[in-house]
Each structure stands twice: as C-alpha cells, then as structure tokens.
Amino acid sequence: MTDLTHPIDVLVAGGGNAALCAAITARRAGATVLVLECATKDFRGGNSRHTRDIRYMHKAATGFVTGAYGEEEFWRDLLGVTGGATNERLARLTIRESETLGDWMPANGVRWQKPLRGTLHLTRSNLFMLGGGKAMMNAYYATAARLGVEIAYETEVRELKMTDGQFASAVASRNGGSNEYAAKALVVASGGFEANIPWLKEYWGDAADNFIIRGTPHNKGGMLKELLRHGAKPEGDPRGCHAVALDARAPKFDGGIVTRLDSVPFGIVVNKKVKRFYDEGEDFWPKRYAIWGRLIAEQPEQIAFSIIDSKGLPHFMPSVFPPVEAASIAELAKAFEIDPNALSGVVEKFNRSVRGSKFDPGSLDECHTEDLDLPKSHWARPIDTPPYYGYPLRPGITFTYLGVTVNEQAQVIMQDDRPAKNVFAAGEVMAGNILGRGYLAGFGLTIGSVFGRIAGREAARRAGF
Ligand SMILES: Cc1cc2nc3c(=O)[nH]c(=O)nc-3n(C[C@H](O)[C@H](O)[C@H](O)COP(=O)(O)OP(=O)(O)OC[C@H]3O[C@@H](n4cnc5c(N)ncnc54)[C@H](O)[C@@H]3O)c2cc1C
C-alpha cells in the first residue's frame, strides 16, 4: 500500500485526464505528487476513460489528421458553438497550447490511430486515441507510476481546509476511515457534478430522476462545492449541461459512448403523448445531437421514441441494444405502451406530407415535409417499409457547465477577484470559463490537458520547483 505519511508538495484531487496531466507535469518539475482518486483502480479515470478523440491546433496534415487546423478557425468554431460565452484570453491560450499535445501525449504513452468511419466528421481537426480514453488513462497512470507519482484509489476528498484562499490540507475518506493530507499546493481536477442527482434536481426538479448519466458515478461535485464554500467565484450556468439522446435501456451510470443513438434524423420522434416536438432533420446530426438530451428532458416523463422503418436502419451507427422491431406501426406503439391509433395517425400524416425524392444523408437534401405544423426539413421519407423499428430515448447527461473561475495560471479566482494562492483547477471543474455554452467535439479533453499541464506546472512552482 502507498505510504501516505510523508509530506507532499502537490496534492491532486481527481483521477481523470486533467488530474493525470497535472500530476505528470508537477512530478516532472521535481515535486512530490499524490493523486487522490475516488474510484477503484479498475474504474479509475472518470469520464476521460470514455473519450475517443481530442481537438488540437496543427499546421499541416499528419499520418493521423487530414489537414491543417489553425488558431483562427479553431477560435471561430468555438465562437460558433458558445455564441460568445467564452473568455477569449483563456480560450486562445487553450487553442495555442493545444498545438503541443500531438507530441506531448505520445511522449507520455498515448498512441494515435486513424479515425474510424462514423466519427462526426472530425478527421481533420481531431486526433483519435488508439484504444480510446481507457487506453489513454492506462498510459498516463503507467507514466505517472514510473515517474514516482503516488496514487491513492477509493479515496474521496470530502473537505478542504483553506483560509483566505490558502490551502492547508484535504480530508478524505479511505478504507472506511478518514485521513488528512497536507500539501504545499492543491490541484482540483474532479470533474463536474453530473452524477449528483439531488444537486441536478435543484435546477431540473424531479425530471432529473429520469436522467441517465453517461459517465462515472463519482463526479458528484463535492470538490466544486467545497471550493464555492470557501469563496471561489462560480463560472457557468448552474442549469447548463451537455445532454444527448440516449437509449433509455442504458445503465444509469457509465454506459459510455455506445448508448448514444443516432437514429433521429432518419425517422420521426414522438413523446409519450404521441406528439412530435422538434424538427428531426433541422441540420446535420453532428450539429444537432447535443440538443436532443435537453429536448427530451422537457417532455412528459422525460421519455421519447425514435420511429424509423427498414429504410432508415442502415444509415446510422449500429446501436448497442437492438431496436424494438414490429410488423406494423400500431404494434410498435404497443411495445412502447403509447397509443397505437395516435401513432398510426401521426405516421400517416407525416408520410402524406413528404416531398422530394433525392434522399442524401451526406447533404442537407431536398426531402422535407409540407403543411405540417412542425416541419421536418431534411431526410424526410415516408415511414412505410416494414419491419418498423423504434428506440426509447432518455436524456443522457455528459457533463455539467457550472465550475470555478480561473486565470491563465489555472489559479482559482476568489469572489474578491484575487487568485487563491496555492489552489489550481483543471478540466471540467473549470471548463465553463472557456466553453460557457454548447460543445465542440473533442474540446473537453483539450481544456483538461492544457489546463492540467498548466495547473501541474504552477502548483509545482508554488511548492518551490
Ligand atoms: C461518454 C462520454 C464520451 C466523451 N467523449 C469525449 C471525447 O471523445 N473527447 C473529448 O474531448 N471529451 C469527451 N467527453 C467529455 C470528457 O470526458 C470530459 O471533458 C473530460 O474527460 C473531463 O476530464 P476531467 O479530468 O475534468 O474529469 P474526469 O475525467 O471525469 O475525472 C474526474 C475525476 O475526479 C474523481 N473525483 C470526483 N470527485 C472526487 C472527490 N471528491 N475526490 C477524489 N476524486 C474525485 C473521479 O473519480 C474522476 O477520476 C466525453 C464524455 C462522456 C461522458
């Protein structure tokens, strides 16, 4: 077992991407580092172990990306998704610093692979990790161990002892007991609070009981609460969360990437009252998938049903749970315990309204509806070819946006706008500074990697290295 009795320079709370980037960097600077990870060794790595790819700035194509992706294009893409809800100084810092990740990550054990088909059109801007986030985290843990970083698993930090922005120690539960860890500097890299249903209920009410959490059950936001209790300045919309349409049969936590469903543009979606509620073909799916979680969260009982026919099935990534199959629309409705006559009526009306015959999933095609109160703008084809298929959908929460404010040194900013002396934050717990709204695929890891490295460097400096 790890000897935890000697003094620590840098304490890291959390065990995902941001935490390990910080730990490795601080250790390489010469500091002694202890990582406190809530999860067991098998389930270490938080949401980072569910990832596949990272967005980074680069000047030219390589064996793993198909072309250049420069600072201005990256910045414009970020502005596009956030609508300006971003701190430009921190965002540009993140973008510029991301350039070195293409080399830094392999230098710390990560291996790249060529992008696979069906990966949201990211072949130019994003690097894909061979073996995904799980392999990335295993590589980082192996590197950290080789460098002499100490890791304590199944250790949940419950309390921070801080005075006037100065961290003294952290109290954590371990093996049924409670230990106090003093350190010269603290890096908080403990993710968001998406796994804390009671906290989500403060903003979403009882609807949050029906949310499915795509990642780790350990991101309960305990550290975020502690930082806020000590006067850290909050950043980001407390109600804001990234939420996708998820297979309702997914496990409550940790279903990861495979339980997301991409069938929506190829049919219609109705709620429990058998009403369509949003244009399923409004825009390309990579630009729309992240709004569907919230849309479903606003429906009765937070459930919806994606209805397609056999023509639709080949056009999206195969689902991990097989679709519900039926010979008729009415039968499909019965399987979902919704009104069969109502669903048959909705489908017939939809089929009659379809115009255009040049179906093309690769473009904003001409297949649309006419004279429906709620139009479908593209990829509208009659749902008329049995067997019929359906998926039950629930809101799948990826992460929350509320976090703490930081500066360019990753120092936590207190409510009087002064930086905490020796407290740093990295990853999802501060991502709201840069990504105040929306999402850019692969950018969660970018923020965590860049700020993890900065936090590690600055924490080591604060500890005298
Ligand atoms: C299914 C899924 C797929 C995704 N795919 C991508 C992708 O391909 N690319 C991308 O860029 N982003 C992706 N994301 C988002 C990405 O996972 C996050 O942006 C990123 O992993 C956040 O890293 P982090 O280190 O801040 O948090 P995490 O990796 O979640 O780590 C938080 C850590 O803190 C620990 N912890 C929490 N509370 C405590 C406590 N009190 N004490 C001790 N430890 C604690 C947890 O156990 C965990 O180890 C995906 C997310 C999900 C859920």
Side-chain angles (χ1 to χ4, degrees), residues 345-374:
V346 168
V347 169
E348 280 160 24
K349 194 169 171 197
F350 173 81
N351 289 353
R352 281 197 304 275
S353 75
V354 169
R355 304 285 181 274
S357 57
K358 288 197 188 118
F359 172 76
D360 177 12
S363 74
L364 293 172
D365 73 4
E366 60 168 40
C367 298
H368 66 285
T369 60
E370 266 175 28
D371 301 328
L372 281 186
D373 291 343
L374 177 60

Side-chain angles (χ1 to χ4, degrees), residues 28-42:
R28 284 199 194 281
T32 56
V33 181
L34 171 63
V35 171
L36 304 181
E37 159 66 306
C38 230
T40 60
K41 189 174 181 184
D42 288 347

